[in-house]
Structures are given as structure tokens and as C-alpha cells.
Amino acid sequence: MPLHHHRHHPSADDSLPYHRSLPVPVPDDDEAKPRRPYSAFASPRAPSSLSPASAHRLLLLFSLACLLVAAASLAFAFSAGARADARAASLHQPPPPAAAVAFRCGRAEDTLRSFLASSRNYTAAEGREKVLAVVGVHTDIGSAARRAALRATWFPPRPEGIVSLEHGTGLSFRFVVARTKDKEKIADLEKEVDMYHDFLFIDAEEDSKPPQKMLAFFKAAYDMFDADFYVKADDAIYLRPDRLAALLAKDRPHHQTYIGCMKKGPVVNDPNMKWYESSWELLGNEYFSHASGLLYALSSEVVGSLASANNDSLRMFDYEDVTLGSWMLAMNVKHEDNRAMCDPHCTPTSIAVWDSKKCSSSCNPAEIVKELHNTTVCSKSPTLPPEVEDE
């Protein structure tokens, strides 16, 4: 039913804000009672129905909520300030250091790049040095005379010469030697290293088998150089670096390439004969096609696979060239036979010269290399023959 209120005359006090007039009697009928919206707190215009204890608890809860909000605000402020300080500090931090110079790989060491890294006159390349090819001339620790003959002919005798040849041809040359425990040999070799700085020490002992030394060279060279080709050479050959660079720079459709003087031959199963192969029963009567060990080149993809392989997972025969040839068959690489890499005489197209038949019994490679270098056709002929240059 409609609500009925007693009318009263307004007074001056009714115009004051928040003024409460005296209660007006209303009927006891429930329908006549005014209804208020639901609230947990009492209306400011109505007397509170909460007991003092309840009011105290509500006040305590409200205080705790305020404290939690204040603590969260402080934590956020501190966190934001810390992030701002970190951003400001990062603006003033020096740039991260450049990539370390890669002249070491385990026990392997490139003495030339070690020298360049410590010299004020040179700047060593950072990381894996990018070249067309790294040429490792394998030599024994006691073969100082052969190394001297090569430095007097086609191998650059000083660090600046090696760097200059690398810039001109893309080939980086090193003498490759294994480690030794002989203190006298070490002392002699250290003098040579300090004088020329042209060695690559590999992670292998001097008395290791040739295939093990060869694999250690490829692993170290791949770790230190980003090359298109990795070349193994012998210290008994006369080499034309310019012609070798021209050969390796050719475009090839095959990315896995094996270049050298390919050969075959009978497998020797008599332990009393030269070139005896102890694992002859695994090979049959004749060797498969493989490059001569005096000079051959492997493309980057091939050496990358060898570098990542576990040594124990690769079969090794008694001889390096046969061992490598067996791996090349297993890897399905492209065999590229190039007879200019094993010419017995200097010609307008010869890349490497050695006479395997003449030196099969005895010869002095150091003297032969010097004699070859004194002939015009060996050392002073053009990189390419005239008919090729005209094209």
C-alpha cells in the first residue's frame, strides 16, 4: 500500500546539510516500512545495527587490506626502479668482446696466428679465418733441411710473406708437425718456431701412425680455418702456389670433392716386403682408386664430416693415402684426377713436381727442390700457359 507520512512544516534546520530530523512515527505494518538496499555497512543516515565487536573486526580487516595494497605498491615501485637502473647501466656498458682469435684447438696450435695476435705490426683474423684453402705441408720434426729448402724456394720464409701470399692467392701455408716428448728435439724445434712462426702443431704424437696424424691435421685445420679446401702436401715436392689456387678456385657442381693424382696398385700381403698392409684380407688383391699421399685436396664439406667423426669409428689402414681413399669411397665423394699435381718434370701447367720413381730408392729432396727452382720453366713461367691466358 502507499506510504503515509505526517506532514510537518519546514524549519530553518531542515536546510542544513546532513541534518537529521527527529524520527517520525510510522505504522507498524511491514508493508509501510521503507526498504534499504543490501549493504554490509550501515547507512550513514541510519543508526548502525552492528555490535562493537563486529565493527572492530571490520575495521581491522579494512586496515589489513590497506597495508597489503601499500606493500604491493612499494614492491612495484622498487621493481620498476631496479629495471630502470638496469636499463641505464646497460647503456653505459662496453660492447661485448669480439670473438676470440682461433689459433688453438686442444693441443693443436697455429704458431703464425699466435705470433700475429701478439704482434703490434699485424692484425690476426678473428674466429675461423676465411681463406680459399689451408695448405698443410706435413714434415717430421727432424726434417729441418727440407723445410729450409722449401723456404728458400716456393714457401714464404717470413710471416709477412705468408700473409702476403694468402692475400694474393687465398692460400694459407703451414708446416704441420706432431708433438714429441724428446726434449732435445723440442729445443731445436722451438728455435725454428721462434724464427719463422710458420708451424701448425697437431694433437698427435710424433710416433703416431700416418693416418692418425693426417686426421688430426684436418680436425685442427677445420677448427681454425673456414676454407673452401683443405690441402695435404708433402715436404719433398716442388709446388706452384699460384697454379694450385687457380685449380681450387674453379667452379664445381659437386660440393664433396676429392682432388689428386688417382692411382691403384696391388695389396702387399707379405710382411717381408715393402708396403706390407697388415689388414690385407679386408682389401682383396688390389687397392681401390685413391689419391697419392704427396698432394691432395678435400672440399670443406668432406673435411667437416671428418672433423665431426669419432676417431674410433673410422677404420685406419697402415698407410695414409689408402686410409683416406677408403673414407672417400664410404662418403660417396667426387674423385677428381689431376695429373698436374704429380708431374715428374716442370711444365707450363705443372702444379706440383716430384719424381716418385727416381726417389723410390734414395734421393735428396732438399737438393732436388733447389735445382728445380733454378730453372725458368719451374719458377718463372706464367701461372697459365699462353694459349689458356689468351682465352
Side-chain angles (χ1 to χ4, degrees):
M1 66 177 62
L3 299 178
H4 298 280
H5 297 277
H6 294 281
R7 294 182 180 181
H8 63 277
H9 298 284
S11 66
D13 291 339
D14 291 334
S15 63
L16 296 177
Y18 305 108
H19 171 74
R20 230 185 308 184
S21 60
L22 294 175
V24 178
V26 295
D28 293 336
D29 191 355
D30 289 340
E31 295 182 0
K33 293 181 180 179
R35 302 190 182 274
R36 291 175 295 179
Y38 175 80
S39 174
F41 298 97
S43 170
R45 302 180 66 89
S48 173
S49 61
L50 297 176
S51 65
S54 299
H56 180 71
R57 284 196 297 271
L58 289 174
L59 182 61
L60 181 61
L61 290 174
F62 181 75
S63 300
L64 289 175
C66 292
L67 287 175
L68 290 175
V69 171
S73 299
L74 287 174
F76 177 79
F78 283 120
S79 175
R83 288 196 297 269
D85 292 340
R87 286 195 297 269
S90 65
L91 295 176
H92 298 285
Q93 285 181 351
V101 176
F103 53 83
R104 289 182 181 274
C105 174
R107 295 176 64 224
E109 179 186 0
D110 179 0
T111 63
L112 176 63
R113 296 184 71 186
S114 296
F115 170 74
L116 296 180
S118 62
S119 175
R120 296 181 179 179
N121 299 326
Y122 302 97
T123 301
E126 296 176 351
R128 294 176 71 214
E129 185 178 359
K130 178 61 180 176
V131 293
L132 171 62
V134 53
V135 183
V137 181
H138 289 236
T139 181
D140 293 330
I141 294 177
S143 298
R146 293 191 182 188
R147 292 190 292 272
L150 267 56
R151 293 191 188 102
T153 56
W154 60 266
F155 194 105
R158 292 178 297 277
E160 58 267 27
I162 298 176
V163 173
S164 178
L165 184 61
E166 180 180 314
H167 291 166
T169 64
L171 306 182
S172 193
F173 286 87
R174 301 291 190 278
F175 283 112
V176 178
V177 292
R179 302 285 184 176
T180 180
K181 298 178 181 178
D182 190 317
K183 295 183 179 180
E184 186 175 348
K185 287 184 177 181
I186 291 176
D188 291 339
L189 187 60
E190 285 180 348
K191 295 178 182 178
E192 193 175 346
V193 171
D194 292 340
M195 184 177 297
Y196 298 104
H197 310 286
D198 55 6
F199 286 88
L200 173 60
F201 287 97
I202 57 176
D203 189 6
E205 296 298 328
E206 184 184 21
D207 57 355
S208 300
K209 292 183 177 181
Q212 295 173 331
K213 293 180 182 179
M214 175 265 300
L215 184 58
F217 159 67
F218 283 124
K219 286 179 178 287
Y222 188 81
D223 187 82
M224 298 176 186
F225 293 87
D226 179 11
D228 294 338
F229 285 92
Y230 297 83
V231 181
K232 186 267 179 179
D234 193 87
D235 64 358
I237 67 173
Y238 184 84
L239 182 68
R240 284 288 298 262
D242 52 344
R243 293 177 183 168
L244 177 61
L247 170 68
L248 299 179
K250 290 181 178 179
D251 290 332
R252 291 177 172 83
H254 302 279
H255 296 291
Q256 294 192 104
T257 309
Y258 173 36
I259 310 173
C261 292
M262 301 298 165
K263 64 176 184 177
K264 291 183 178 181
V267 177
V268 179
N269 57 14
D270 186 348
N272 298 317
M273 296 180 63
K274 189 178 182 180
W275 310 121
Y276 167 68
E277 173 58 63
S278 59
S279 299
W280 59 268
E281 69 279 1
L282 299 177
L283 297 169
N285 296 324
E286 186 178 53
Y287 287 116
F288 37 79
S289 180
H290 61 279
S292 171
L294 274 74
L295 179 66
Y296 57 83
L298 302 179
S299 63
S300 178
E301 290 81 356
V302 176
V303 177
S305 299
L306 294 178
S308 63
N310 188 326
N311 288 18
D312 294 334
S313 67
L314 299 172
R315 174 164 307 269
M316 296 191 182
F317 296 101
D318 292 338
Y319 303 103
E320 169 214 335
D321 53 356
V322 173
T323 300
L324 186 77
S326 68
W327 297 345
M328 296 302 99
L329 288 178
M331 295 171 65
N332 195 30
V333 305
K334 172 66 175 178
H335 290 55
E336 186 175 316
D337 185 19
N338 192 307
R339 311 316 293 180
M341 298 175 70
C342 56
D343 207 320
H345 307 286
C346 287
T347 68
T349 59
S350 59
I351 296 173
V353 179
W354 78 85
D355 193 339
S356 57
K357 293 182 179 180
K358 183 178 179 180
C359 290
S360 60
S361 55
S362 64
C363 66
N364 188 337
E367 294 301 321
I368 292 176
V369 167
K370 292 178 182 178
E371 292 174 2
L372 292 172
H373 192 67
N374 290 331
T375 61
T376 300
V377 69
C378 284
S379 60
K380 298 180 176 62
S381 59
T383 299
L384 299 175
E387 60 271 14
V388 177
E389 289 184 335
D390 292 341
E391 295 178 359

